[in-house]
Coordinates of all heavy atoms in Angstrom, one line a residue:
M1 N -106.0 -55.9 35.9 CA -106.3 -57.1 35.3 C -105.2 -57.5 34.4 O -104.7 -58.7 34.4 CB -107.6 -57.1 34.6 CG -108.0 -58.3 33.9 SD -109.6 -58.3 33.1 CE -109.2 -57.4 31.7
V2 N -104.7 -56.7 33.6 CA -103.5 -57.0 32.7 C -102.3 -57.5 33.4 O -101.7 -58.4 33.1 CB -103.2 -55.8 31.8 CG1 -101.9 -55.9 31.1 CG2 -104.3 -55.5 30.8
D3 N -102.0 -56.7 34.6 CA -100.8 -57.1 35.3 C -101.0 -58.4 36.0 O -100.0 -59.2 36.1 CB -100.5 -56.1 36.4 CG -100.0 -54.7 35.8 OD1 -99.5 -54.7 34.7 OD2 -100.2 -53.7 36.4
T4 N -102.2 -58.7 36.5 CA -102.5 -60.0 37.1 C -102.4 -61.1 36.1 O -101.8 -62.2 36.4 CB -103.9 -60.0 37.7 OG1 -103.9 -59.0 38.7 CG2 -104.2 -61.3 38.3
L5 N -103.0 -61.0 34.8 CA -103.0 -62.0 33.9 C -101.5 -62.2 33.4 O -101.0 -63.4 33.2 CB -103.7 -61.7 32.7 CG -105.2 -61.7 32.8 CD1 -105.9 -61.2 31.6 CD2 -105.6 -63.2 33.0
A6 N -100.7 -61.2 33.3 CA -99.3 -61.3 32.8 C -98.5 -62.0 33.9 O -97.6 -62.9 33.7 CB -98.7 -60.0 32.5
A7 N -98.7 -61.6 35.2 CA -97.9 -62.3 36.2 C -98.3 -63.8 36.4 O -97.3 -64.6 36.6 CB -98.2 -61.6 37.6
K8 N -99.5 -64.1 36.3 CA -99.9 -65.5 36.4 C -99.4 -66.3 35.3 O -99.0 -67.5 35.4 CB -101.4 -65.6 36.6 CG -101.9 -65.2 37.9 CD -103.4 -65.4 38.1 CE -103.9 -65.0 39.5 NZ -105.3 -65.4 39.7
T9 N -99.4 -65.7 34.1 CA -98.9 -66.4 32.9 C -97.4 -66.7 33.1 O -96.9 -67.8 32.8 CB -99.1 -65.6 31.6 OG1 -100.6 -65.5 31.5 CG2 -98.7 -66.3 30.4
A10 N -96.7 -65.6 33.5 CA -95.2 -65.8 33.8 C -94.9 -66.9 34.9 O -94.1 -67.7 34.6 CB -94.5 -64.5 34.2
R11 N -95.7 -66.8 35.9 CA -95.5 -67.9 36.9 C -95.8 -69.3 36.4 O -95.0 -70.2 36.7 CB -96.5 -67.6 38.1 CG -96.3 -68.4 39.3 CD -97.1 -68.1 40.5 NE -97.8 -66.7 40.4 CZ -99.0 -66.5 40.8 NH1 -99.7 -67.4 41.4 NH2 -99.6 -65.3 40.7
A12 N -96.8 -69.5 35.5 CA -97.0 -70.8 35.0 C -95.9 -71.2 34.0 O -95.5 -72.3 34.0 CB -98.4 -70.8 34.2
A13 N -95.4 -70.2 33.2 CA -94.3 -70.5 32.3 C -93.1 -71.0 33.1 O -92.4 -71.9 32.7 CB -94.0 -69.3 31.4
R14 N -92.8 -70.3 34.2 CA -91.7 -70.6 35.0 C -91.9 -72.0 35.6 O -91.0 -72.8 35.6 CB -91.5 -69.5 36.1 CG -90.2 -69.7 36.9 CD -90.0 -68.5 37.9 NE -90.3 -67.2 37.4 CZ -91.4 -66.5 37.7 NH1 -92.2 -66.9 38.6 NH2 -91.6 -65.2 37.2
A15 N -93.1 -72.3 36.2 CA -93.4 -73.5 36.9 C -93.3 -74.7 36.0 O -92.8 -75.7 36.5 CB -94.7 -73.4 37.6
Y16 N -93.6 -74.5 34.7 CA -93.7 -75.6 33.8 C -92.4 -75.6 32.8 O -92.4 -76.2 31.8 CB -95.0 -75.7 33.1 CG -96.1 -76.1 34.0 CD1 -96.9 -75.1 34.5 CD2 -96.3 -77.5 34.3 CE1 -98.0 -75.5 35.4 CE2 -97.3 -77.8 35.1 CZ -98.1 -76.9 35.7 OH -99.2 -77.1 36.6
D17 N -91.5 -74.6 33.1 CA -90.2 -74.6 32.3 C -90.5 -74.3 30.8 O -90.0 -75.0 30.0 CB -89.4 -75.7 32.6 CG -87.9 -75.5 32.1 OD1 -87.5 -74.3 32.1 OD2 -87.3 -76.5 31.7
R18 N -91.5 -73.4 30.5 CA -91.8 -73.1 29.1 C -91.1 -71.9 28.6 O -90.9 -70.9 29.3 CB -93.3 -72.8 29.0 CG -94.2 -74.0 29.5 CD -93.9 -75.2 28.6 NE -94.8 -76.3 29.0 CZ -94.5 -77.5 29.0 NH1 -93.3 -77.9 28.6 NH2 -95.3 -78.5 29.4
V19 N -90.8 -71.8 27.4 CA -90.1 -70.7 26.8 C -90.9 -70.0 25.7 O -90.5 -69.1 25.0 CB -88.7 -71.0 26.2 CG1 -87.8 -71.4 27.3 CG2 -88.7 -72.1 25.1
R20 N -92.1 -70.6 25.4 CA -93.0 -70.1 24.4 C -94.4 -69.8 25.1 O -94.9 -70.8 25.7 CB -93.2 -71.1 23.1 CG -92.0 -71.2 22.4 CD -92.2 -72.1 21.2 NE -90.9 -72.6 20.6 CZ -90.3 -73.6 20.9 NH1 -90.8 -74.5 21.8 NH2 -89.2 -74.0 20.3
I21 N -94.9 -68.7 24.9 CA -96.2 -68.4 25.4 C -97.1 -68.0 24.2 O -96.7 -67.0 23.5 CB -96.2 -67.2 26.4 CG1 -95.3 -67.7 27.6 CG2 -97.6 -66.8 26.9 CD1 -95.0 -66.5 28.6
V22 N -98.2 -68.7 24.0 CA -99.1 -68.4 22.9 C -100.4 -67.9 23.4 O -101.0 -68.3 24.2 CB -99.4 -69.7 22.0 CG1 -100.3 -69.4 20.9 CG2 -98.1 -70.3 21.5
V23 N -100.8 -66.7 22.9 CA -102.1 -66.0 23.2 C -103.0 -66.2 22.1 O -102.7 -65.9 20.9 CB -101.9 -64.5 23.6 CG1 -103.1 -63.9 24.1 CG2 -100.7 -64.4 24.6
G24 N -104.3 -66.6 22.3 CA -105.3 -66.7 21.3 C -106.6 -66.1 21.7 O -106.8 -65.8 22.8
G25 N -107.5 -66.1 20.7 CA -108.9 -65.6 21.0 C -108.9 -64.1 21.0 O -107.9 -63.4 20.7
G26 N -110.1 -63.5 21.5 CA -110.3 -62.1 21.4 C -109.3 -61.4 22.3 O -109.0 -60.2 22.0
V27 N -108.9 -62.0 23.3 CA -107.9 -61.3 24.3 C -106.6 -61.0 23.6 O -105.9 -60.1 24.0 CB -107.8 -62.1 25.5 CG1 -107.0 -63.4 25.4 CG2 -107.2 -61.3 26.6
A28 N -106.3 -61.8 22.6 CA -105.0 -61.5 21.8 C -104.9 -60.2 21.2 O -103.9 -59.6 20.9 CB -104.7 -62.6 20.9
C29 N -106.1 -59.5 21.0 CA -106.1 -58.2 20.3 C -105.7 -57.1 21.4 O -105.5 -55.9 21.0 CB -107.6 -57.9 19.9 SG -107.9 -58.6 18.3
N30 N -105.7 -57.5 22.7 CA -105.4 -56.4 23.8 C -103.9 -56.2 23.8 O -103.1 -56.9 24.2 CB -105.9 -57.0 25.1 CG -105.8 -56.0 26.2 OD1 -104.8 -55.3 26.3 ND2 -106.8 -55.9 27.0
Q31 N -103.6 -55.0 23.2 CA -102.2 -54.6 23.1 C -101.5 -54.4 24.4 O -100.3 -54.6 24.5 CB -102.1 -53.3 22.2 CG -102.5 -53.5 20.8 CD -101.7 -54.6 20.1 OE1 -100.5 -54.6 20.1 NE2 -102.4 -55.5 19.4
A32 N -102.2 -53.9 25.4 CA -101.6 -53.7 26.7 C -101.3 -55.1 27.3 O -100.2 -55.2 27.9 CB -102.6 -53.0 27.7
L33 N -102.2 -56.0 27.2 CA -101.9 -57.4 27.7 C -100.7 -58.0 26.9 O -99.7 -58.6 27.5 CB -103.1 -58.3 27.5 CG -102.9 -59.8 28.0 CD1 -102.5 -59.8 29.4 CD2 -104.1 -60.6 27.7
A34 N -100.6 -57.9 25.6 CA -99.5 -58.4 24.8 C -98.2 -57.8 25.3 O -97.2 -58.5 25.5 CB -99.8 -58.2 23.4
A35 N -98.2 -56.5 25.5 CA -96.9 -55.8 26.0 C -96.5 -56.3 27.3 O -95.3 -56.5 27.6 CB -97.2 -54.3 26.0
A36 N -97.5 -56.5 28.3 CA -97.1 -56.9 29.6 C -96.7 -58.3 29.6 O -95.7 -58.7 30.3 CB -98.4 -56.7 30.5
L37 N -97.2 -59.1 28.8 CA -96.8 -60.5 28.6 C -95.4 -60.5 28.1 O -94.5 -61.4 28.5 CB -97.7 -61.4 27.8 CG -99.1 -61.7 28.4 CD1 -100.0 -62.2 27.3 CD2 -98.9 -62.7 29.4
R38 N -95.1 -59.7 27.1 CA -93.7 -59.7 26.5 C -92.7 -59.2 27.6 O -91.6 -59.7 27.6 CB -93.7 -58.8 25.3 CG -94.4 -59.5 24.1 CD -94.2 -58.7 22.8 NE -94.7 -59.6 21.7 CZ -95.9 -59.5 21.2 NH1 -96.8 -58.6 21.7 NH2 -96.3 -60.4 20.3
R39 N -93.1 -58.2 28.4 CA -92.2 -57.8 29.4 C -91.9 -58.9 30.4 O -90.7 -59.2 30.7 CB -92.7 -56.6 30.2 CG -92.6 -55.3 29.4 CD -92.9 -54.1 30.3 NE -94.3 -54.1 30.9 CZ -95.3 -53.7 30.2 NH1 -95.3 -53.2 29.0 NH2 -96.5 -53.8 30.8
Q40 N -93.0 -59.6 30.9 CA -92.7 -60.7 31.8 C -92.0 -61.8 31.2 O -91.1 -62.4 31.8 CB -94.1 -61.2 32.3 CG -94.9 -60.3 33.1 CD -94.5 -60.4 34.6 OE1 -93.8 -61.3 35.0 NE2 -95.0 -59.4 35.3
A41 N -92.2 -62.1 29.9 CA -91.6 -63.2 29.2 C -90.1 -62.9 29.0 O -89.3 -63.9 29.2 CB -92.2 -63.5 27.9
A42 N -89.8 -61.7 28.7 CA -88.4 -61.3 28.6 C -87.5 -61.7 29.8 O -86.3 -62.1 29.7 CB -88.2 -59.8 28.2
A43 N -88.1 -61.4 30.9 CA -87.4 -61.7 32.2 C -87.2 -63.2 32.4 O -86.2 -63.6 33.1 CB -88.2 -61.2 33.3
L44 N -88.0 -63.9 31.6 CA -87.7 -65.5 31.7 C -87.0 -66.0 30.6 O -86.7 -67.2 30.5 CB -89.2 -66.1 31.7 CG -90.2 -65.8 32.8 CD1 -91.5 -66.4 32.5 CD2 -89.6 -66.3 34.2
G45 N -86.7 -65.2 29.7 CA -86.1 -65.7 28.5 C -87.0 -66.4 27.5 O -86.7 -67.3 26.7
A46 N -88.3 -66.0 27.7 CA -89.3 -66.7 26.8 C -89.8 -65.7 25.8 O -89.6 -64.5 25.8 CB -90.6 -67.0 27.8
T47 N -90.6 -66.2 24.9 CA -91.1 -65.4 23.7 C -92.7 -65.6 23.7 O -93.2 -66.7 24.0 CB -90.6 -66.0 22.4 OG1 -89.2 -66.0 22.4 CG2 -91.1 -65.2 21.1
V48 N -93.3 -64.5 23.4 CA -94.8 -64.4 23.3 C -95.2 -64.4 21.9 O -94.6 -63.6 21.1 CB -95.3 -63.2 24.1 CG1 -96.9 -63.2 24.0 CG2 -95.0 -63.3 25.6
F49 N -96.2 -65.3 21.5 CA -96.7 -65.2 20.1 C -98.2 -64.8 20.2 O -98.9 -65.3 21.0 CB -96.6 -66.7 19.6 CG -95.2 -67.1 19.4 CD1 -94.5 -67.9 20.5 CD2 -94.5 -66.9 18.3 CE1 -93.3 -68.3 20.4 CE2 -93.2 -67.3 18.1 CZ -92.6 -68.1 19.2
T50 N -98.5 -63.8 19.4 CA -99.9 -63.5 19.3 C -100.2 -63.4 17.8 O -99.4 -63.0 17.0 CB -100.1 -62.0 19.9 OG1 -99.2 -61.1 19.2 CG2 -99.8 -62.0 21.4
P51 N -101.6 -63.7 17.5 CA -101.9 -63.6 16.1 C -102.2 -62.1 15.7 O -102.3 -61.3 16.5 CB -103.3 -64.4 16.1 CG -103.8 -64.2 17.5 CD -102.5 -64.2 18.3
T52 N -102.4 -61.9 14.4 CA -102.8 -60.5 14.0 C -104.2 -60.4 14.4 O -105.0 -61.3 14.7 CB -102.7 -60.5 12.4 OG1 -103.6 -61.4 11.9 CG2 -101.3 -60.8 11.9
A53 N -104.6 -59.1 14.4 CA -106.0 -58.7 14.8 C -107.0 -59.5 14.0 O -108.1 -59.8 14.5 CB -106.2 -57.2 14.8
R54 N -106.7 -59.7 12.7 CA -107.6 -60.3 11.8 C -108.0 -61.7 12.3 O -109.1 -62.3 12.1 CB -107.1 -60.3 10.4 CG -108.1 -61.0 9.3 CD -107.6 -60.7 8.0 NE -106.6 -61.5 7.3 CZ -106.7 -62.9 7.3 NH1 -107.6 -63.6 7.9 NH2 -105.8 -63.6 6.6
L55 N -107.0 -62.4 12.9 CA -107.2 -63.8 13.3 C -107.5 -63.9 14.8 O -107.9 -65.0 15.2 CB -105.8 -64.5 13.1 CG -105.4 -64.6 11.6 CD1 -104.0 -65.3 11.6 CD2 -106.4 -65.4 10.8
A56 N -107.5 -62.8 15.5 CA -107.9 -62.8 17.0 C -109.3 -62.3 17.2 O -109.6 -61.2 17.6 CB -106.9 -61.9 17.8
T57 N -110.2 -63.1 16.8 CA -111.6 -62.7 16.9 C -112.3 -63.1 18.2 O -111.8 -64.2 18.8 CB -112.4 -63.3 15.7 OG1 -112.3 -64.7 15.7 CG2 -111.9 -62.8 14.4
D58 N -113.3 -62.5 18.6 CA -114.0 -62.7 19.8 C -115.4 -63.3 19.4 O -116.2 -62.6 19.0 CB -114.1 -61.5 20.7 CG -114.7 -61.8 22.0 OD1 -115.1 -62.9 22.2 OD2 -114.8 -60.8 22.8
N59 N -115.5 -64.6 19.6 CA -116.8 -65.2 19.3 C -117.9 -64.8 20.2 O -119.1 -64.8 19.8 CB -116.6 -66.8 19.4 CG -117.8 -67.5 18.7 OD1 -118.3 -67.1 17.7 ND2 -118.2 -68.6 19.5
A60 N -117.7 -64.4 21.4 CA -118.7 -63.9 22.3 C -119.5 -62.8 21.8 O -120.7 -62.8 22.0 CB -118.0 -63.6 23.7
A61 N -118.8 -61.9 21.2 CA -119.6 -60.7 20.6 C -120.5 -61.1 19.6 O -121.7 -60.6 19.5 CB -118.6 -59.7 20.1
M62 N -120.2 -62.1 18.7 CA -121.0 -62.5 17.6 C -122.2 -63.3 18.2 O -123.3 -63.1 17.8 CB -120.2 -63.5 16.7 CG -121.0 -64.0 15.6 SD -120.3 -65.4 14.7 CE -120.3 -66.6 16.0
I63 N -121.9 -64.1 19.1 CA -123.0 -64.9 19.8 C -124.0 -64.0 20.4 O -125.3 -64.1 20.5 CB -122.4 -65.9 20.8 CG1 -121.7 -67.0 20.0 CG2 -123.6 -66.6 21.6 CD1 -122.4 -67.7 18.9
A64 N -123.5 -63.0 21.2 CA -124.4 -62.0 21.9 C -125.3 -61.2 20.8 O -126.4 -61.0 21.1 CB -123.5 -61.0 22.7
R65 N -124.7 -60.9 19.7 CA -125.5 -60.1 18.7 C -126.5 -61.0 18.1 O -127.6 -60.6 17.9 CB -124.6 -59.6 17.7 CG -125.3 -58.7 16.7 CD -125.8 -57.5 17.4 NE -126.6 -56.7 16.4 CZ -127.5 -55.8 16.8 NH1 -127.8 -55.6 18.1 NH2 -128.2 -55.1 15.9
A66 N -126.2 -62.3 17.9 CA -127.2 -63.3 17.4 C -128.3 -63.4 18.3 O -129.5 -63.5 18.0 CB -126.4 -64.6 17.1
G67 N -128.0 -63.4 19.7 CA -129.0 -63.5 20.7 C -130.0 -62.2 20.6 O -131.2 -62.4 20.8
V68 N -129.4 -61.0 20.4 CA -130.2 -59.9 20.3 C -131.2 -60.0 19.1 O -132.3 -59.6 19.3 CB -129.3 -58.6 20.2 CG1 -130.1 -57.3 19.8 CG2 -128.4 -58.4 21.5
F69 N -130.7 -60.4 18.0 CA -131.6 -60.6 16.9 C -132.8 -61.5 17.2 O -133.9 -61.3 16.9 CB -130.8 -61.0 15.6 CG -130.0 -60.0 15.0 CD1 -128.7 -60.3 14.7 CD2 -130.5 -58.8 14.7 CE1 -127.9 -59.4 14.1 CE2 -129.7 -57.8 14.1 CZ -128.4 -58.1 13.8
R70 N -132.4 -62.7 17.8 CA -133.4 -63.7 18.1 C -134.5 -63.1 19.2 O -135.6 -63.3 19.0 CB -132.8 -64.9 18.6 CG -132.0 -65.6 17.5 CD -131.5 -66.9 17.9 NE -132.5 -68.0 17.9 CZ -132.3 -69.2 17.8 NH1 -131.1 -69.7 17.7 NH2 -133.3 -70.1 17.8
L71 N -134.0 -62.5 20.2 CA -134.8 -61.8 21.2 C -135.8 -60.8 20.5 O -137.0 -60.8 20.8 CB -134.0 -61.2 22.3 CG -134.8 -60.5 23.4 CD1 -135.6 -61.6 24.2 CD2 -133.8 -59.9 24.4
A72 N -135.2 -60.0 19.7 CA -136.0 -59.0 19.0 C -137.2 -59.5 18.2 O -138.2 -59.0 18.1 CB -135.2 -58.1 18.1
R73 N -137.0 -60.8 17.7 CA -138.1 -61.4 16.9 C -139.0 -62.3 17.8 O -139.8 -63.0 17.3 CB -137.5 -62.1 15.7 CG -136.8 -63.4 16.0 CD -136.4 -64.1 14.7 NE -135.9 -65.4 15.0 CZ -134.9 -66.0 14.4 NH1 -134.2 -65.4 13.4 NH2 -134.5 -67.1 14.8
G74 N -138.7 -62.2 19.1 CA -139.5 -63.0 20.0 C -139.2 -64.4 20.3 O -139.9 -65.1 20.9
D75 N -138.0 -64.8 19.8 CA -137.5 -66.1 19.9 C -136.9 -66.3 21.3 O -135.7 -66.0 21.5 CB -136.6 -66.4 18.8 CG -136.2 -67.9 18.7 OD1 -136.7 -68.7 19.6 OD2 -135.4 -68.3 17.9
V76 N -137.6 -66.8 22.3 CA -137.1 -67.0 23.6 C -137.3 -68.4 24.0 O -138.2 -69.1 23.6 CB -137.8 -66.0 24.6 CG1 -137.4 -64.6 24.3 CG2 -139.2 -66.2 24.7
A77 N -136.5 -68.9 25.0 CA -136.6 -70.3 25.4 C -137.2 -70.3 26.8 O -137.1 -69.2 27.5 CB -135.2 -70.9 25.5
T78 N -137.7 -71.5 27.2 CA -138.2 -71.6 28.6 C -137.0 -72.0 29.5 O -136.0 -72.2 29.0 CB -139.2 -72.8 28.6 OG1 -138.7 -74.0 28.1 CG2 -140.4 -72.4 27.7
L79 N -137.3 -71.9 30.8 CA -136.3 -72.2 31.8 C -135.8 -73.7 31.7 O -134.8 -74.0 32.4 CB -136.7 -71.8 33.1 CG -137.0 -70.3 33.3 CD1 -137.5 -70.1 34.8 CD2 -135.7 -69.6 33.1
D80 N -136.5 -74.6 31.0 CA -136.0 -75.9 31.0 C -135.0 -76.2 29.8 O -134.7 -77.4 29.5 CB -137.2 -76.9 30.9 CG -138.0 -76.8 29.7 OD1 -137.9 -75.8 29.0 OD2 -138.8 -77.7 29.4
L81 N -134.6 -75.2 29.1 CA -133.7 -75.4 28.0 C -132.4 -76.0 28.5 O -131.8 -75.6 29.5 CB -133.3 -74.0 27.4 CG -132.3 -74.0 26.3 CD1 -132.9 -74.7 25.0 CD2 -131.9 -72.5 25.9
N82 N -131.9 -77.0 27.8 CA -130.6 -77.6 28.2 C -129.5 -77.0 27.3 O -129.7 -76.3 26.4 CB -130.7 -79.1 28.2 CG -130.9 -79.6 26.7 OD1 -130.2 -79.2 25.9 ND2 -131.7 -80.6 26.5
A83 N -128.3 -77.5 27.6 CA -127.1 -76.9 26.9 C -126.6 -77.9 25.7 O -125.6 -77.8 25.2 CB -125.9 -76.7 27.7
Y84 N -127.5 -78.9 25.4 CA -127.1 -79.9 24.3 C -127.6 -79.4 23.0 O -128.7 -79.1 22.8 CB -127.7 -81.2 24.7 CG -127.3 -81.8 26.0 CD1 -128.1 -81.8 27.1 CD2 -125.9 -82.2 26.2 CE1 -127.7 -82.2 28.3 CE2 -125.5 -82.7 27.4 CZ -126.4 -82.7 28.5 OH -126.1 -83.1 29.7
A85 N -126.7 -79.3 22.1 CA -126.9 -78.7 20.7 C -127.7 -79.8 20.0 O -127.3 -81.0 19.9 CB -125.6 -78.4 20.0
S86 N -128.8 -79.4 19.3 CA -129.6 -80.4 18.6 C -130.0 -79.9 17.2 O -130.5 -80.7 16.4 CB -130.8 -80.8 19.4 OG -131.6 -79.7 19.7
T87 N -129.7 -78.6 16.9 CA -130.1 -78.1 15.6 C -128.9 -78.2 14.7 O -127.7 -77.9 15.1 CB -130.4 -76.6 15.8 OG1 -131.4 -76.5 16.8 CG2 -130.9 -76.0 14.5
A88 N -129.2 -78.7 13.5 CA -128.1 -78.8 12.5 C -127.6 -77.5 12.0 O -128.3 -76.5 12.0 CB -128.6 -79.5 11.3
L89 N -126.3 -77.3 11.7 CA -125.8 -76.1 11.3 C -125.9 -76.0 9.8 O -125.5 -77.0 9.1 CB -124.2 -76.0 11.7 CG -123.9 -76.0 13.1 CD1 -122.5 -76.1 13.4 CD2 -124.5 -74.7 13.8
P90 N -126.5 -74.9 9.3 CA -126.6 -74.8 7.8 C -125.3 -74.8 7.1 O -124.3 -74.2 7.5 CB -127.2 -73.4 7.6 CG -127.7 -73.0 9.0 CD -126.9 -73.8 10.0
G91 N -125.3 -75.5 6.1 CA -124.0 -75.7 5.3 C -123.0 -76.7 5.8 O -122.0 -76.9 5.2
L92 N -123.3 -77.3 6.9 CA -122.4 -78.3 7.5 C -122.8 -79.7 7.0 O -123.9 -80.1 7.1 CB -122.4 -78.3 8.9 CG -121.5 -79.1 9.7 CD1 -120.0 -78.7 9.4 CD2 -121.7 -79.1 11.2
H93 N -121.8 -80.4 6.3 CA -122.1 -81.7 5.7 C -121.5 -82.8 6.6 O -120.3 -82.6 7.0 CB -121.7 -81.8 4.3 CG -122.3 -80.7 3.4 ND1 -123.5 -80.8 3.0 CD2 -121.8 -79.6 2.9 CE1 -123.8 -79.7 2.2 NE2 -122.7 -79.0 2.2
S94 N -122.2 -83.8 6.9 CA -121.6 -85.0 7.6 C -120.8 -85.8 6.7 O -121.1 -85.9 5.5 CB -122.7 -85.7 8.3 OG -123.5 -86.3 7.4
A95 N -119.7 -86.4 7.1 CA -118.8 -87.2 6.3 C -119.3 -88.7 6.2 O -120.1 -89.2 7.0 CB -117.5 -87.2 6.9

C-alpha cells in the first residue's frame, strides 16, 4: 500500500509539474509512507512536507470512539437517518 501511494503521488506530481508534496491528516504519521514519498520525490527534485505527529491527528478514531460510547448507552438511529447535520455543536457561537 505504501509503495502504491508513493508511486501514485509521484506520478501526479510529475503530471502536474509540482515540486512540493504536502501530506496531512492521520496518514501523515505513517513514517514508512513519509520515507517512501521522500524517496520518490527526490527522484523528481521535489520536496515532501509532513506535520509533526502532534498535528497529524486522525479524526476517524475519535469519531469511532464517540460512536462506541453512544452505542453503549443505547443511543442508536433508525435506518432512515440522513447525513445532514442538525444538532448544534456545544460551545460554537454563530457570528
Side-chain angles (χ1 to χ4, degrees):
M1 180 177 78
V2 165
D3 291 337
T4 299
L5 287 172
K8 287 185 176 191
T9 301
R11 191 174 343 143
R14 191 177 315 109
Y16 292 96
D17 197 28
R18 303 295 184 215
V19 295
R20 293 181 195 94
I21 299 168
V22 179
V23 184
V27 72
C29 281
N30 187 316
Q31 295 301 313
L33 178 59
L37 287 169
R38 286 191 173 91
R39 283 192 300 275
Q40 292 277 351
L44 300 172
T47 304
V48 175
F49 297 89
T50 58
T52 64
R54 183 170 85 50
L55 298 175
T57 58
D58 187 353
N59 192 42
M62 178 194 67
I63 295 301
R65 188 61 185 159
V68 168
F69 286 129
R70 292 183 79 159
L71 181 63
R73 70 176 190 217
D75 188 4
V76 296
T78 60
L79 294 177
D80 64 344
L81 176 68
N82 66 44
Y84 301 106
S86 59
T87 305
L89 296 174
L92 185 64
H93 303 283
S94 59

